[in-house]
Amino acid sequence: MGIGQVLTMPIFFASNAIYPIDLMPSWLRAISSANPLTYEVDALRSLMLVGSKSQYGLLTDFGVLVAFTAVFTLIAARLYPAPHDLTNER
């Protein structure tokens, strides 16, 4: 649980979930624009709140989320050992 918090809290803090991006210092705005959680929160707000508009546009939000998912799925697939690699370790 501790490792999860170490990873989750900086990502959560650097998104627009707590504070608007306009109030952030410039260095944190740059990190926030590279943070996929920023786009997820933006899409959720625009879809769930009546009269709310997406800051980046829903197409951009979903595009960034799909791109991050694809990239990290490929990275995970490359790092995960193949089944034949596991049987040779005996």
Side-chain angles (χ1 to χ4, degrees):
M1 185 166 140
I3 293 172
Q5 289 295 324
V6 167
L7 297 173
T8 305
M9 284 310 294
I11 292 170
F12 182 69
F13 180 73
S15 73
N16 62 348
I18 302 173
Y19 301 107
I21 293 175
D22 299 336
L23 298 178
M24 295 180 184
S26 60
W27 63 270
L28 191 53
R29 268 188 238 146
I31 293 172
S32 180
S33 67
N35 184 354
L37 188 60
T38 297
Y39 299 94
E40 181 182 359
V41 169
D42 185 56
L44 286 173
R45 277 194 184 131
S46 67
L47 292 172
M48 294 180 71
L49 298 177
V50 176
S52 179
K53 293 183 181 178
S54 174
Q55 182 176 356
Y56 303 105
L58 286 176
L59 189 60
T60 302
D61 291 337
F62 287 114
V64 168
L65 292 172
V66 167
F68 266 91
T69 301
V71 167
F72 282 106
T73 299
L74 290 173
I75 291 170
R78 296 282 288 163
L79 293 175
Y80 195 77
H84 66 276
D85 292 341
L86 295 175
T87 58
N88 290 338
E89 289 182 8
R90 291 182 191 182

